[in-house]
């Protein structure tokens, strides 16, 4: 068990062991917090990990809110509205043990000056790992070859049927220089690939720091063997890949979407995939899940997964540990490692 963060300069003098209240789906804490993390939480904070608020309206919730200094939130935390804040006069911070805070942290929280932290950085890790695997498997035509091998009971002529497979020298186009994308770039760096990045908010210095080549979106689509989407679902990115842009993808290209279904025009995508011109790995879709009648479930050039790229199973413990680390920092007067700022919300996930 590690103790509170030591040896670093503090930015203020906060009372030690802040009172922390959990607010999330009722069964989530047992999946987020293993024994060591729970022990660390009650060491750095005054917290009853057995008390989990799933709503803010009841009398017990009111009693917990009355003295809460930090809300440790997770999936399904109800919106923290003005009226919730009125009942939480001691509240100073929200540490979210998941990615986006947009579903529960309202503008009122920022207006009251609450410090907000998210575990989006930790949640980015499994998404980047999933994408790495998808890129490598797409380049090696693994899914297609696996099916042919099984269908024809071991008869695949590799040289004749897959003369161009492999990942050496391939171009990967990354849309959105997000936390997921930045981790993905770190994972891809040892591979002999060319990486192109499109992000309208990334300047040349930012590109240089990432060690990647910037490209306009259309150019990236034309030049990439694999295109992977990592931009947020915001009005600006709705149908970012429309029929015209999907048409720019190379014949045989693979499109990976672990971001959000809304980034692609679903009808145009279905048309491209049904034609067999391109392939796709789709962890997200519009709608989600797709209706049982969707052709995408049966197309041989489509790998559909049930929104599993982000933290799932044992990976939830990484989110829990991240949030408790943030609380440990807060307890000794340090800034959060992953602060969420109101000004950034319009262009982040
Ligand atoms: N499949 C899953 O389970 C899963 C899990 C986590 C995140 N996600 C999704 O992955 C995506 C990335 O998440 P994140 O937390 O890494 O994002 P992030 O908030 O860290 O970064 C978003 C990035 O997108 C860029 N951006 C904004 N507008 C853009 C535009 N028009 N075109 C291109 N880029 C633009 C921003 O500049 C920023 O760099 C989001 O869509 C998120 O919802 C999915």
């Amino acid at each position: 068990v590690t103790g509170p963060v030591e040896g670093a300069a503090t930015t203020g003098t906060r009372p030690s062991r802040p009172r922390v209240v959990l607010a999330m789906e009722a069964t989530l804490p047992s999946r987020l917090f293993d024994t060591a993390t729970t022990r660390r939480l009650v060491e750095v904070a005054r917290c009853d990990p057995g008390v989990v608020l799933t709503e803010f309206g009841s009398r017990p919730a009111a009693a917990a809110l009355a003295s809460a200094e930090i809300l440790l939130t997770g999936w399904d935390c109800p919106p923290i509205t003005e009226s919730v804040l009125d009942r939480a006069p001691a509240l100073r911070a929200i540490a979210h043990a998941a990615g986006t805070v947009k579903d529960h942290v309202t503008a009122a929280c920022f207006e009251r000056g609450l410090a907000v932290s998210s575990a989006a950085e930790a949640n980015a890790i499994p998404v980047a790992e999933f994408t790495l695997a998808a890129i490598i498997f797409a380049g090696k035509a693994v899914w297609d070859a696996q099916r042919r091998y099984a269908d024809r009971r071991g008869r695949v002529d590799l040289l004749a049927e897959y003369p161009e497979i492999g990942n050496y020298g391939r171009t990967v186009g990354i849309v959105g220089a997000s936390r997921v994308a930045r981790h993905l770039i770190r994972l891809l760096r040892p591979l002999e690939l060319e990486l192109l990045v499109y992000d309208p908010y990334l300047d040349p210095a930012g590109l240089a720091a990432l060690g990647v080549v910037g490209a306009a979106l259309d150019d990236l689509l034309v030049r990439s063997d694999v295109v992977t989407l990592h931009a947020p679902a915001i009005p600006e990115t709705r149908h970012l890949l429309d029929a015209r842009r999907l048409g720019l993808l190379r014949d045989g290209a693979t499109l990976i979407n672990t971001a959000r279904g809304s980034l692609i025009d679903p009808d145009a995508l279905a048309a491209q995939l049904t034609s067999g011109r391109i392939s796709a790995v789709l962890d997200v879709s519009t709608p989600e899940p797709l209706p049982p009648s969707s052709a995408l479930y049966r197309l041989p050039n489509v790998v559909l997964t049930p929104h599993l790229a982000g933290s799932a199973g044992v990976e939830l413990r990484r989110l829990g540990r991240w949030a408790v680390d943030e609380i440990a920092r807060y307890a000794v007067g340090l800034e959060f490692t992953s602060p969420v700022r109101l000004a950034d919300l319009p262009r982040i996930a």
Side-chain angles (χ1 to χ4, degrees):
V1 181
T2 15
V5 180
E6 282 167 12
T10 63
T11 55
T13 48
R14 289 186 186 125
S16 57
R17 298 190 74 231
R19 193 172 292 284
V20 172
V21 173
L22 274 53
M24 59 186 71
E25 191 273 325
T27 66
L28 200 49
S30 63
R31 290 178 282 149
L32 286 173
F33 310 118
D34 60 16
T35 310
T37 302
T38 305
R39 214 180 296 150
R40 179 154 156 78
L41 173 61
V42 297
E43 201 177 274
V44 301
R46 286 172 292 161
C47 178
D48 181 349
V51 174
V52 186
L53 304 188
T54 57
E55 44 71 36
F56 293 130
S58 66
R59 204 180 280 255
L65 283 175
S67 62
E69 190 174 345
I70 302 179
L71 282 178
L72 172 44
T73 62
W75 289 326
D76 292 349
C77 174
I80 304 167
T81 59
E82 192 102 48
S83 106
V84 174
L85 294 172
D86 286 342
R87 283 171 280 137
L91 195 63
R92 298 288 172 270
I94 297 166
H96 189 45
T100 183
V101 302
K102 289 182 182 179
D103 295 331
H104 68 299
V105 176
T106 65
C109 299
F110 292 102
E111 281 155 20
R112 297 218 180 175
L114 298 190
V116 179
S117 154
S118 106
E121 196 78 41
N123 199 32
I125 294 171
V127 187
E129 290 169 351
F130 175 96
T131 309
L132 169 70
I135 290 168
I136 293 174
F137 269 31
K140 282 294 247 186
V142 164
W143 292 294
D144 190 69
Q146 181 273 334
R147 196 176 32 77
R148 287 192 202 184
Y149 204 48
D151 287 352
R152 299 200 227 122
R153 295 297 187 271
R155 286 195 313 282
V156 169
D157 183 340
L158 205 57
L159 282 180
E161 295 178 52
Y162 298 102
E164 291 290 322
I165 61 166
N167 288 297
Y168 174 67
R170 292 285 187 209
T171 300
V172 175
I174 298 171
V175 178
S178 65
R179 284 165 282 212
V180 171
R182 285 161 196 264
H183 192 62
L184 176 66
I185 290 166
R186 285 193 285 273
L187 297 179
L188 291 175
R189 205 174 298 289
L191 311 184
E192 292 170 279
L193 297 166
E194 188 187 348
L195 305 184
L196 299 178
V197 174
Y198 165 72
D199 188 319
Y201 298 99
L202 198 60
D203 59 18
L207 282 167
L210 281 177
V212 291
V213 177
L217 182 54
D218 287 6
D219 187 39
L220 177 149
L221 296 171
V222 168
R223 288 167 60 193
S224 299
D225 299 293
V226 177
V227 171
T228 181
L229 303 185
H230 301 293
I234 51 177
E236 186 192 334
T237 60
R238 187 173 178 277
H239 296 186
L240 187 67
L241 297 199
D242 55 11
R244 182 188 69 79
R245 286 210 168 113
L246 288 171
L248 296 177
L249 287 164
R250 289 181 172 183
D251 287 354
T254 299
L255 176 61
I256 301 172
N257 191 5
T258 59
R260 286 291 182 268
S262 66
L263 271 61
I264 311 179
D265 176 338
D267 297 332
L269 178 64
Q272 286 283 343
L273 292 172
T274 307
S275 78
R277 198 182 74 77
I278 62 167
S279 299
V281 179
L282 305 173
D283 190 49
V284 292
S285 59
T286 304
E288 192 173 308
L290 290 166
S293 60
S294 171
L296 270 54
Y297 286 115
R298 297 182 309 276
L299 288 177
N301 51 333
V302 178
V303 176
L304 269 182
T305 50
H307 204 137
L308 55 67
S311 300
V314 295
E315 292 157 345
L316 294 177
R317 294 177 204 151
R318 185 190 278 124
L319 301 182
R321 202 184 65 200
W322 186 279
V324 171
D325 280 348
E326 290 286 65
I327 289 169
R329 292 179 65 84
Y330 180 94
V332 295
L334 289 171
E335 303 283 336
F336 284 140
T337 304
S338 307
V340 181
R341 296 190 180 87
L342 183 61
D344 293 335
L345 283 186
R347 58 175 191 86
I348 65 168

